[in-house]
Amino acid sequence: MNGSNGEERVVHEVAIVVPKRVLEKEGNCVEVLVTELKKRGMVVDRVVGLAYEFLEVAAPLETLGNAAAELHIRKPTRLGIDLPFEMQGSEAFFRQPDGLLFSWFERFRCYQHLLYGIVNCGGYDVTLKLDGREFCWAAGESLVRRLESEGVIKQMFPLHDEFKRKELLQTWALNWWNFTNQPTDQIYSYFGAKIGVYFSFLGMYTQWLIFPASLGFIVQMVDFGSLQFLALPSFFVSTILWAALFLQFWKRKNAALLARWQINCLVGPSQGYRFLGMEWSSLPFPKELIKNIGDERSKEKAAYQRYEWFAYRKRFRNDVLVIMSIIYLQLPFELAYTHIYEIITSDVVKYILTAIYLLVIQYLTRLGGKVSVKLINREINESVEYRANSLIYKVFGLYFMQTYIGIFYHVLLHRNFMTLRQVLIQRLIISQVFWTLMDGSLPYLKYSYRKYKARTKKKREGGSSTGKIQIASRVEKEYFKPTYSASIGVELEDGLFDDSLELALQFGMIMMFACAFPLAFALAAVSNIMEIRTNALKLLVTLRRPLPRAAATIGAWLNIWQFLVVMSICTNSALLVCLYDQEGKWKIEPGLAAILIMEHVLLLLKFGLSRLVPEEPAWVRASRVKNVTQAQDMYCKQLLRSISGEFTSMTKPEQEQQQDSERR
C-alpha cells in the first residue's frame, strides 16, 4: 500500500518476470508462486506481455508491518529513540516526509523478506511442473530461490509509481524555472537516501558555483590595468576559501537532511557511516578468534591484531597493484596522446583526437574498474560500504591519471597557457557532450533495441502478420528499460558512481587549473544546471526505478573532493610561478617566495576552516543530545521498575535474606 496525505492506495512496487501461462494448472510452478504470494498477504496482478508474463506485486500496510517486525527493523519513535518496529504500536513511530510509515529502502527490504521467505513448510517435497519439465521443491527450501535457479523467474525489479513519477516530472525534471532548487524530500521518499543526498549535494554545489563563476567572468573579461598582476592570485585565494567553506557547509546540510529524514547513524573515526540496527554484512573473523573465546585476554588481543594487520596488508597489496598498473600501463599511453596533441596544428583534428581518446580511455578505464572489483573481492572489508569506498578510490585513481596527466604535461613541460586554455575548453565541452550522450542516448537506444527484438520475435512466432505489434502494458515497458547500474561493477555500486565521478572530475578540472582559465567555473555552473534536469529525466523516464541503497552521505567522494582542494592549492601555485616567470612581471625570487608563503597559508586555512565551522547545526546537535537523554531516562526507569517488581514478588523471608546479603 502507498498513499498521499494519509490515504492508502494499492501500488504495485515489484515485478516478477515468468514464462507465459500454459494450459496445465495442477502443479504449475507459476500458479503455485501466485498462490503462495497471496498466502503471504500480497496483492498480485498478472499481465501477459509479448514474450513473458509479469506478476505485479503489492503489499498492504499490515503485511509490510509484519515483515518489518520479523526483520527487527529499528525506526525512530516520537520519544526520540530507535526501537524495533511492532505493528501494534505503529502510531508511536515517525512517518516519512510523504506521509508513509516506511521508507522506500525499508519497504524494499520487506518485499525481499516476503518473497524469499516463501518456504516449503509441509515437511515433504513438492513436485513442480513447467512446460513438461518437472523439478522438486524441497522441504524448508525458498520457492523464489528454487524458481530462480531453474530459470522460471527471469528477473525481479522495482516498478515506478506512476502517480509519484508524474508528480516528480512536473515539480523536478521539467521545472526549469527553479534552476537549482529541487524537491529533496520527494526525491528521498521516491528513490531513497543515497539518490536524495546526491541530488541535494549537486544542487548545493551548483548554487555555490554562482560566486566563483561571476568572479571568474570578471577576472577573465576585465582589464585591471596596473593591478592586473594581483587579479589571478586574488581569484586563486578566493576559490580555495570558497571550496573549503562549501565542503564544510555541505557537512552541515548533510547532517540537517539526516535529522529531517529521521536517519540515525553512528560516525566513527574510521568506520564512516553505519545505520543503526541494520547489519549490512558481518565481519569474517578468523577461526582462531572463535577458539580463543574465554581464553586469556592477551591471546585474544594478539589474534585481533594479527587479523587486523592481515586485512591491511591485503588492501595495501591491491593498492600497490593499481598504482603500478597506472604508472607502467596507462602513463605511457597518456604521455603519447599529449605529445601528439602538442605537435598537431589543426584545431579540428585536435577535437577529433580528443574525442577518440576519450572513447578509448573510457573502455580501458572500465576494464581497470572490473579488475579493481576482482581485487576488492579478495580483500577483507567490514561491510559493503567499505568495499564500495575501496572501489571508488581505486577507480578514481585511474580516471585521475587519464583526465589530468595531459594537462600537467602542458603546464610543466611547455608552459603554454594558450594551449592549456584550449585543452581545458575542449575537455569541458567534449566531456559534457560525451556524458550527456551516454546518459541520455544510450539508455534510450538499449530500450528501443530490446523492444525491436521482442517485436521481431513475436512476428516470427505469429507467422505472416503485417500489423504493428504494440506494447500496451506499463510493466512490460519497464522491463525493456535498462537498469541504473555503474559502468564498472553492478554488485558494489549503482549508476550514481558514474554521475559522482563525472562531478568530481569536473570539480578537479576547474579547481586545479583555476588560474589558467577562470571562466571554467561559469561553464561548470551552466553544465550542472543541465545535468540536474537530464539526470532527473534519465531516472524518471528512460531507466527502471533504481534499487534503494543504504547510504547516509556521499561517502568516499567527500574525501576525494577534499583531496582535490589540496591538489588545487599546489597546482595553482605552480601555475602562478610559471605565469609570472614567463611574463616577467615579478622577479622569480620574491615572486616564488610570495607564492610559497601563500600556498602554506592556504593549506593552514583549509584545514583550519574545518575546525572553525561545526559539522552539525546547533539544532541537530541539541536534538541528538535530547534523544540520548530521553533514552537513558526511559531505560533507567524501566530497569528500576523491573528490579522493584522482582523484589516485591519475593516472600518476606527471601526479602530479608536479600537485604542481609546486600549489607554484607
Side-chain angles (χ1 to χ4, degrees):
M1 290 285 182
N2 209 335
S4 177
N5 299 326
E7 295 183 5
E8 294 188 352
R9 58 188 177 89
V10 175
V11 177
H12 297 93
E13 296 186 293
V14 176
I16 304 175
V17 186
V18 296
K20 285 186 177 182
R21 67 179 73 184
V22 293
L23 295 178
E24 56 179 19
K25 286 193 175 182
E26 185 177 353
N28 182 269
C29 58
V30 177
E31 299 294 335
V32 173
L33 175 62
V34 172
T35 302
E36 293 294 333
L37 289 173
K38 292 179 178 179
K39 285 182 181 178
R40 294 280 283 179
M42 288 178 276
V43 179
V44 182
D45 281 355
R46 305 179 68 167
V47 179
V48 179
L50 296 180
Y52 300 106
E53 184 178 359
F54 302 91
L55 307 180
E56 296 181 329
V57 181
L61 179 59
E62 184 179 357
T63 303
L64 289 175
N66 294 332
E70 293 173 4
L71 288 169
H72 303 289
I73 292 179
R74 302 179 72 89
K75 292 180 62 63
T77 62
R78 302 184 187 278
L79 296 175
I81 58 176
D82 286 6
L83 294 176
F85 181 80
E86 292 183 2
M87 195 61 197
Q88 293 80 4
S90 60
E91 295 299 325
F93 294 91
F94 272 111
R95 289 187 172 264
Q96 299 299 311
D98 58 355
L100 297 180
L101 185 58
F102 297 104
S103 67
W104 170 226
F105 175 74
E106 292 168 342
R107 294 201 306 276
F108 193 76
R109 283 189 68 198
C110 293
Y111 274 109
Q112 287 182 314
H113 176 72
L114 290 168
L115 292 172
Y116 287 99
I118 300 174
V119 296
N120 184 359
C121 301
Y124 53 89
D125 297 348
V126 176
T127 301
L128 302 177
K129 302 177 182 179
L130 181 70
D131 296 336
R133 184 164 57 96
E134 295 184 356
F135 51 92
C136 180
W137 179 22
E141 184 182 18
S142 170
L143 176 61
V144 172
R145 295 194 186 279
R146 181 60 177 170
L147 295 182
E148 284 180 335
S149 64
E150 293 292 335
V152 177
I153 294 180
K154 308 297 180 182
Q155 285 187 32
M156 287 196 298
F157 58 92
L159 287 172
H160 277 289
D161 180 350
E162 281 300 298
F163 176 79
K164 291 188 176 181
R165 189 182 73 88
K166 292 178 180 177
E167 186 178 6
L168 278 172
L169 278 172
Q170 294 175 357
T171 59
W172 180 34
L174 301 178
N175 188 8
W176 289 87
W177 294 107
N178 281 339
F179 292 103
T180 60
N181 293 329
Q182 303 173 86
T184 310
D185 290 343
Q186 289 179 266
I187 298 171
Y188 157 71
S189 299
Y190 190 69
F191 290 112
K194 187 175 183 180
I195 293 179
V197 167
Y198 167 77
F199 277 101
S200 178
F201 178 80
L202 177 58
M204 181 177 175
Y205 170 52
T206 307
Q207 286 177 342
W208 276 62
L209 269 176
I210 295 175
F211 168 72
S214 305
L215 189 60
F217 182 82
I218 294 172
V219 171
Q220 187 84 34
M221 298 300 179
V222 177
D223 185 7
F224 294 93
S226 60
L227 298 178
Q228 186 67 32
F229 72 97
L230 293 176
L232 287 179
S234 302
F235 178 69
F236 166 43
V237 173
S238 301
T239 55
I240 295 300
L241 295 178
W242 165 84
L245 286 172
F246 161 67
L247 293 177
Q248 203 62 23
F249 274 93
W250 160 249
K251 294 177 185 178
R252 291 173 59 84
K253 183 172 183 177
N254 197 174
L257 284 175
L258 299 184
R260 193 166 78 222
W261 296 340
Q262 299 296 327
I263 298 177
N264 297 326
C265 2
L266 292 174
V267 185
S270 63
Q271 292 180 349
Y273 287 79
R274 180 170 61 85
F275 275 79
L276 286 171
M278 294 190 181
E279 299 177 358
W280 289 353
S281 63
S282 58
L283 183 65
F285 293 107
K287 294 180 180 179
E288 57 187 2
L289 292 185
I290 301 175
K291 294 178 182 179
N292 286 336
I293 293 177
D295 293 353
E296 297 179 3
R297 188 175 180 180
S298 60
K299 293 182 179 180
E300 184 178 351
K301 179 181 177 181
Y304 271 102
Q305 288 178 338
R306 285 197 302 272
Y307 176 77
E308 178 186 16
W309 286 108
F310 176 71
Y312 282 144
R313 190 172 72 247
K314 294 190 75 172
R315 287 197 291 269
F316 177 76
R317 179 202 63 188
N318 292 342
D319 293 340
V320 170
L321 286 175
V322 172
I323 293 172
M324 297 303 291
S325 65
I326 290 174
I327 294 174
Y328 290 106
L329 298 178
Q330 192 170 6
L331 184 59
F333 175 77
E334 301 291 342
L335 292 177
Y337 159 74
T338 53
H339 179 70
I340 295 172
Y341 183 92
E342 188 66 30
I343 62 177
I344 292 176
T345 58
S346 174
D347 291 339
V348 177
V349 177
K350 286 182 178 180
Y351 271 98
I352 296 174
L353 177 66
T354 304
I356 296 174
Y357 160 78
L358 289 175
L359 289 174
V360 173
I361 206 64
Q362 186 76 9
Y363 172 78
L364 294 177
T365 310
R366 287 187 180 185
L367 181 62
K370 293 178 180 178
V371 174
S372 299
V373 171
K374 292 185 178 180
L375 290 175
I376 290 168
N377 289 334
R378 297 177 179 273
E379 292 180 356
I380 301 175
N381 292 289
E382 295 182 13
S383 67
V384 175
E385 186 189 24
Y386 270 45
R387 297 173 63 202
N389 289 344
S390 180
L391 174 67
I392 289 172
Y393 291 134
K394 289 178 174 62
V395 177
F396 179 78
L398 300 174
Y399 273 93
F400 182 85
M401 177 64 69
Q402 66 95 356
T403 302
Y404 303 120
I405 187 61
I407 305 176
F408 291 149
Y409 179 86
H410 290 293
V411 172
L412 298 176
L413 295 184
H414 295 279
R415 297 192 180 185
N416 189 337
F417 277 77
M418 291 303 298
T419 305
L420 177 58
R421 286 180 180 177
Q422 291 179 1
V423 171
L424 292 173
I425 293 173
Q426 290 175 5
R427 288 293 182 93
L428 286 171
I429 294 175
I430 294 178
S431 296
Q432 181 61 34
V433 172
F434 176 78
W435 286 108
T436 302
L437 289 175
M438 292 288 290
D439 288 344
S441 302
L442 197 59
Y444 179 75
L445 290 175
K446 288 181 179 179
Y447 171 68
S448 301
Y449 178 69
R450 290 174 181 175
K451 284 201 306 182
Y452 170 76
K453 281 182 63 178
R455 286 170 175 167
T456 304
K457 183 178 179 182
K458 184 67 176 179
K459 283 184 178 181
R460 285 200 303 264
E461 293 174 353
S464 58
S465 176
T466 58
K468 186 177 180 180
I469 299 175
Q470 298 290 339
I471 300 175
S473 63
R474 177 181 64 90
V475 63
E476 189 167 19
K477 292 178 181 178
E478 296 285 332
Y479 169 70
F480 289 131
K481 293 178 181 179
T483 58
Y484 187 51
S485 58
S487 58
I488 43 85
V490 178
E491 61 221 65
L492 294 179
E493 280 292 325
D494 55 16
L496 275 185
F497 175 86
D498 296 323
D499 295 332
S500 302
L501 175 65
E502 177 189 357
L503 206 62
L505 293 176
Q506 180 206 83
F507 178 76
M509 189 169 295
I510 64 177
M511 283 297 299
M512 288 197 294
F513 307 100
C515 290
F517 188 42
L519 198 59
F521 287 88
L523 296 178
V526 175
S527 172
N528 288 350
I529 292 174
M530 299 288 294
E531 187 77 12
I532 291 174
R533 307 306 165 191
T534 55
N535 283 349
L537 286 171
K538 176 180 67 176
L539 287 171
L540 293 170
V541 178
T542 60
L543 296 176
R544 292 180 186 174
R545 189 177 185 180
L547 297 174
R549 291 180 181 259
T553 67
I554 58 174
W557 293 108
L558 184 61
N559 295 330
I560 289 174
W561 282 58
Q562 299 276 14
F563 162 76
L564 291 173
V565 173
V566 176
M567 282 292 298
S568 64
I569 295 175
C570 302
T571 54
N572 281 286
S573 299
L575 283 172
L576 288 176
V577 171
C578 297
L579 178 64
Y580 288 111
D581 182 26
Q582 181 180 8
E583 295 186 358
K585 299 292 183 181
W586 292 358
K587 292 181 180 179
I588 185 64
E589 293 83 3
L592 179 59
I595 292 172
L596 287 176
I597 293 172
M598 181 172 62
E599 177 188 21
H600 285 72
V601 170
L602 285 175
L603 287 172
L604 290 175
L605 285 175
K606 192 268 175 198
F607 292 107
L609 285 174
S610 62
R611 308 297 299 176
L612 293 174
V613 181
E615 295 186 4
E616 277 186 330
W619 68 271
V620 174
R621 191 161 53 251
S623 177
R624 182 163 47 80
V625 172
K626 178 183 176 182
N627 292 341
V628 172
T629 305
Q630 287 179 344
Q632 290 176 344
D633 292 343
M634 191 190 74
Y635 284 132
C636 289
K637 291 178 181 178
Q638 185 177 1
L639 182 61
L640 289 173
R641 283 197 298 267
S642 176
I643 295 174
S644 62
E646 291 178 0
F647 185 77
T648 54
S649 63
M650 295 180 181
T651 61
K652 191 171 183 180
E654 289 176 343
Q655 292 179 5
E656 293 175 353
Q657 183 179 1
Q658 178 71 17
Q659 291 173 351
D660 292 339
S661 62
E662 289 177 354
R663 290 194 196 99
R664 297 193 195 99

